[in-house]
Amino acid sequence: MSAAQFDIKYVAHLARLHLTPDEEKKLGAQLGGILGYIEKLKELDVTGVEPTAHAVPLVNVTRPDEVRPSLPHDKVLRNAPAQANGLFMAPKIVE
Amino acid sequence: MLNQLTISALTAKLAKREVSAREAVQSCLDQIACVDKKIHAFISYNADDALAQAAAADQELAKGGSTARRLLGIPVAVKDVLAVKNQPLNCGSKILGKFVSPYDATVVEKLKAAGAIVFGRLNMDEFAMGSSTENSAFGTTRNPWDTTRIPGGSSGGSAAAVAADEAIATLGSDTGGSIRQPAALCGCVGLKPTYGRVSRYGLVAFASSLDQIGPLTKDIRDAATMLGVISGHDLRDSTSVPQPVPDYAASLTGDIKGLKLGLPKEYMIGGLDPEVKAAVDAAVRQFEKLGAEIVEISLPHTDYGVSVYYIIATAEASANLARFDGIRYGARVDGADPTELYRRTRGAGFGAEVKRRIILGTYVLSSGYYDAYYLRAQKVRTLIRNDFLQAFEKVDAIVTPTSPTAAFKIGEKSDDPLQMYLSDIFTISCNLAGICGISLPCGFTGSQPSTLNPQPRLPIGLQLLGKPFGEETLLKIAHAYEQNTLWHKERAATVI
C-alpha cells in the first residue's frame, strides 16, 4: 500500500474522528511513512502459519450463569455527560 | 528519610513500630511537595485520603498487624490508567473529562487487601500510547536524573515517582515496553508479568492481547513482593490464567550457578548506543562470574517486531477506544446527530498520537486491507512467539538491553513517530510472545569522560526475558545480579 492510496478522510470517517485540515495533512504524511516501514512484513512467507490472536489461548472461558450484584444505577450515571430520568441523554436517532 | 526506603526496609521498621505509616505517607507527600514541580510524576493526589488510610494502617499495626497484610502501611501510587474507587481516572487524556471511578481495579483491590496505602494518579502517555510521557494532556513528566530529558513511557510517571522517592513503589502497565523502558531510563526496577498472570479488570484497555499490569520498584525483592500481591486468577478477566501464585521472594536465593542465559545475536543492532552495549556486556560478564552459562541464541524474526506490534496494537486500540464516544461518560461535544457528536467529541478529546494510532488501526482492519496487514501481522506474531519458545528450550532466560539508548531530550523525537516507535525494539517482542520481562539498573552513561561526545550521567537498563510464567527464574537471576552491584543504590541528584 503506497501513501498515495491512503485516503485519510475515508479512514477518519470510519473511525468517527474529526480531523482538522492540518491534522489530515500531517497524519497522512506520517502514516504514509509508517505504512512504508510496515511493508517489510511482505518479505516473509507465511504460508501455512496459523495466526496468533492471544499468546496464552484459553478456550470456552465461562462463569456460572447466576445473577450477581452490579453497579447501582446512580453510580453508573454519575459520569454521564448528560442524563435525565435515570437515562443517558443522546441526540435523536430516529424520526 | 522514610520515602527513600524499599518496601522490605519500611515494612521492617513499621513492624517494630520504629516509625508509623503516617510518617511514611507524610515523607512521600513532603517529597512530592519538594520535587514534583520539577518532575511532574503526579497528575493529582489526595493527601487527606492518604493520611486517613495511614491512620487506619497505624491502628492495625498497633494491634500487631498480620503477616498476610504484606503491604500494611506502604504508600503505593498507581498509573492513571487503573481504576481506584472514588478517585479520578483520565488515562492522561482530555476525553475522560471529570470521570471518577465507580469501582476498584482487581490489582487495586489486592493492594488494599494487602494493606497498602493507594494514593495518587501517575502521569502517562495518553491511553498508554508513547515512549516518553510527552503525549499526556496533563504535561510532560521529566526524568529525575536530568529534567531536560524524558522519563520514558508510557508509565513515565510511575518510573519517575519511584526514582524521585515520591512513592515507595508504583504500578504501571506494559503493552510494548511501557513499564520496562521507563524503569530503565529512570534507573529503577520494572516488571512485565506473563500475559494472564495479573488480572486486567479495571485497567483501561489499550491493546487487550498485549496489556499487562506490573510493578515499578527500587529493588528486585520489592518487585517480587508486589508481583506476589497483584498476581492471580480473576473471574472478571477471562484472559487471566488459573495458575497458582508462587512465593516469589523464596526464589531470591542468590544462586544462579548452572543457569543458561541466552544472548540474541539480532539484538546487537546498529542503533545501539556504545555505552549501553558496554554496560550490558559488563552485566553478561558478571553473570558468568556468578556461575551462569552464556549461550548465543537467535531470534530470527526480531526485525519484524515493530511492524507487527504497530499493526496489532493499533488495530486493537481502534476497537477499544471506540467506547469513548461522549455518550455514557467523559467529555462531550454536542452535534446534531450521533455521528457528528462522536466525531466532534473524539476530535476534541483525543491527542495527536492517539488519533494517529486510531487511524492506523482503523485502516489495517478496514475492508480490503485486513488480510494484507492484520492477518499477516498475526501470522508473523506466531513466528515471533515460536522464536522465543524455541530459544527457551535451550536457555532459562534471555539477556538484552532494555532500550537502545539512555533517556533522550524532551522534544527530540516527538515530531517523528516512526523513530519513537523504533526505540521500543527490544521490549515489544515480549508482549507479542506473551512472555515475562524485567528491567533492572546495570550502569550509567558518562562513565568514560574521555570520549569525544561526553554524555551526562543517565541510567542504563538491563532486560531479562523469561518463559511464560517464569517470573521466579527472572527474579532469581535479577536478584543475584543486584546483590553483586550497587547501581540500584544510586540516587538522582535533582531529588535528594
Side-chain angles (χ1 to χ4, degrees):
Chain A
M1 171 56 41
S2 72
Q5 289 171 268
F6 183 76
D7 183 350
I8 188 140
K9 282 189 199 298
Y10 173 65
V11 181
H13 169 71
L14 290 178
R16 303 292 186 265
L17 186 60
H18 174 75
L19 299 176
T20 64
D22 277 356
E23 284 177 323
E24 282 179 0
K25 207 173 142 194
K26 198 171 173 188
L27 278 177
Q30 288 171 334
L31 290 169
I34 294 165
L35 287 169
Y37 177 79
I38 286 171
E39 284 295 293
K40 71 157 73 179
L41 286 184
K42 296 196 175 150
E43 295 164 6
L44 284 170
D45 182 7
V46 292
T47 318
V49 179
E50 287 294 315
T52 295
H54 267 85
V56 187
L58 297 167
V59 291
N60 295 341
V61 178
T62 58
R63 59 173 172 77
D65 187 16
E66 290 162 0
V67 177
R68 295 184 304 172
S70 52
L71 286 176
H73 218 92
D74 60 317
K75 291 229 164 99
V76 173
L77 285 167
R78 187 172 66 175
N79 286 304
Q83 53 150 312
N85 305 324
L87 301 166
F88 295 111
M89 296 284 279
K92 197 169 180 179
I93 295 168
V94 287
E95 290 302 321
Chain B
M1 299 273 273
L2 300 180
N3 58 305
Q4 295 178 348
L5 297 178
T6 58
I7 294 173
S8 42
L10 180 56
T11 299
K13 284 183 184 293
L14 287 167
K16 283 189 245 163
R17 305 298 294 137
E18 279 174 32
V19 300
S20 66
R22 186 188 168 85
E23 288 166 322
V25 166
Q26 192 59 54
S27 75
C28 289
L29 295 173
D30 290 348
Q31 178 73 348
I32 293 168
C34 181
V35 303
D36 210 53
K37 276 200 179 72
K38 280 188 286 187
I39 307 296
H40 191 44
F42 284 83
I43 293 175
S44 68
Y45 61 95
N46 184 335
D48 293 339
D49 178 61
L51 290 166
Q53 291 182 61
D58 279 329
Q59 283 191 355
E60 205 175 318
L61 284 159
K63 290 180 201 150
S66 143
T67 49
R69 305 265 278 167
R70 283 174 283 175
L71 297 174
L72 186 55
I74 305 293
V76 176
V78 300
K79 187 175 179 179
D80 190 31
V81 72
L82 291 165
V84 180
K85 193 172 180 177
N86 297 329
Q87 287 191 12
L89 178 137
N90 293 94
C91 299
S93 180
K94 281 190 291 189
I95 204 162
L96 273 147
K98 292 184 174 145
F99 189 90
V100 174
S101 296
Y103 60 85
D104 278 330
T106 297
V107 291
V108 171
E109 264 181 10
K110 284 174 176 280
L111 286 178
K112 288 180 176 173
I117 292 157
V118 181
F119 81 109
R121 309 296 306 168
L122 292 165
N123 200 15
M124 57 185 279
D125 285 301
E126 185 177 3
F127 286 102
M129 296 178 185
S131 311
S132 67
T133 317
E134 291 170 291
N135 301 328
S136 168
F138 298 89
T140 301
T141 297
R142 289 162 186 273
N143 193 310
W145 294 88
D146 178 348
T147 53
T148 67
R149 291 174 187 270
I150 58 99
S154 67
S155 309
S158 302
V162 170
D165 293 316
E166 295 172 272
I168 303 300
T170 62
L171 288 183
S173 64
D174 190 316
T175 306
S178 281
I179 290 172
R180 291 160 288 154
Q181 184 255 19
L185 271 39
C186 288
C188 53
V189 172
L191 171 65
K192 185 208 91 76
T194 305
Y195 187 81
R197 176 74 289 183
V198 176
S199 168
R200 294 181 295 111
Y201 179 77
L203 166 73
V204 178
F206 160 15
S208 306
S209 81
L210 305 168
D211 297 341
Q212 258 314 267
I213 301 162
L216 293 99
T217 57
K218 294 170 187 174
D219 70 7
I220 299 295
R221 184 170 294 280
D222 282 3
T225 303
M226 289 284 282
L227 182 65
V229 169
I230 64 172
S231 290
H233 182 234
D234 180 11
L235 289 173
R236 294 172 298 189
D237 174 6
S238 63
T239 63
S240 77
V241 176
Q243 176 129 339
V245 180
D247 176 4
Y248 291 108
S251 65
L252 310 182
T253 59
D255 179 13
I256 60 165
K257 281 192 191 67
L259 284 180
K260 291 196 175 103
L261 302 184
L263 277 182
K265 60 181 183 193
E266 290 82 3
Y267 280 46
M268 294 301 143
I269 53 158
L272 182 58
D273 181 277
E275 289 196 285
V276 173
K277 184 176 187 304
V280 172
D281 288 343
V284 168
R285 288 194 295 277
Q286 181 79 48
F287 284 128
E288 273 183 310
K289 261 193 240 168
L290 293 168
E293 187 186 331
I294 308 298
V295 184
E296 190 186 81
I297 57 162
S298 176
L299 300 168
H301 297 95
T302 297
D303 208 20
Y304 302 99
V306 172
S307 298
V308 171
Y309 177 82
Y310 280 96
I311 292 173
I312 290 177
T314 58
E316 293 184 12
S318 73
N320 274 326
L321 271 59
R323 61 169 62 87
F324 299 100
D325 57 8
I327 301 294
R328 290 157 301 160
Y329 40 73
R332 173 188 286 191
V333 181
D334 279 317
D337 58 66
T339 304
E340 197 181 331
L341 183 153
Y342 301 152
R343 290 179 69 247
R344 286 182 175 179
T345 295
R346 292 158 63 78
F350 289 135
E353 182 61 29
V354 174
K355 287 178 181 170
R356 196 149 45 227
R357 297 204 196 188
I358 288 174
I359 294 287
L360 181 57
T362 304
Y363 177 71
V364 299
L365 288 176
S366 65
S367 174
Y369 300 109
Y370 178 92
D371 284 5
Y373 289 112
Y374 186 66
L375 188 62
R376 177 168 281 264
Q378 284 191 312
K379 289 179 177 177
V380 181
R381 183 177 182 183
T382 304
L383 299 175
I384 290 171
R385 178 166 163 78
N386 289 347
D387 282 356
F388 279 96
L389 297 183
Q390 280 161 20
F392 285 130
E393 287 173 12
K394 288 184 241 160
V395 297
D396 298 292
I398 295 171
V399 184
T400 81
T402 307
S403 174
T405 65
F408 45 89
K409 290 266 187 186
I410 289 168
E412 189 177 324
K413 298 188 184 184
S414 46
D415 278 339
D416 190 345
L418 185 55
Q419 280 312 306
M420 187 76 90
Y421 297 172
L422 289 170
S423 72
D424 298 338
I425 188 155
F426 298 137
T427 49
I428 269 175
S429 300
C430 173
N431 302 72
L432 292 169
I435 58 176
C436 55
I438 193 167
S439 178
L440 66 156
C442 75
F444 287 86
T445 60
S447 54
Q448 291 151 309
S450 61
T451 52
L452 287 174
N453 297 308
Q455 284 249 34
R457 188 170 164 77
L458 300 168
I460 298 170
L462 179 76
Q463 179 177 238
L464 298 168
L465 300 173
K467 297 174 189 180
F469 299 96
E471 283 84 356
E472 286 170 287
T473 307
L474 276 196
L475 289 164
K476 180 200 286 281
I477 298 167
H479 175 255
Y481 174 82
E482 187 187 76
Q483 293 307 294
N484 288 278
T485 54
L486 291 169
W487 311 119
H488 64 292
K489 303 263 187 202
E490 305 242 2
R491 283 286 169 273
T494 52
V495 293
I496 293 173

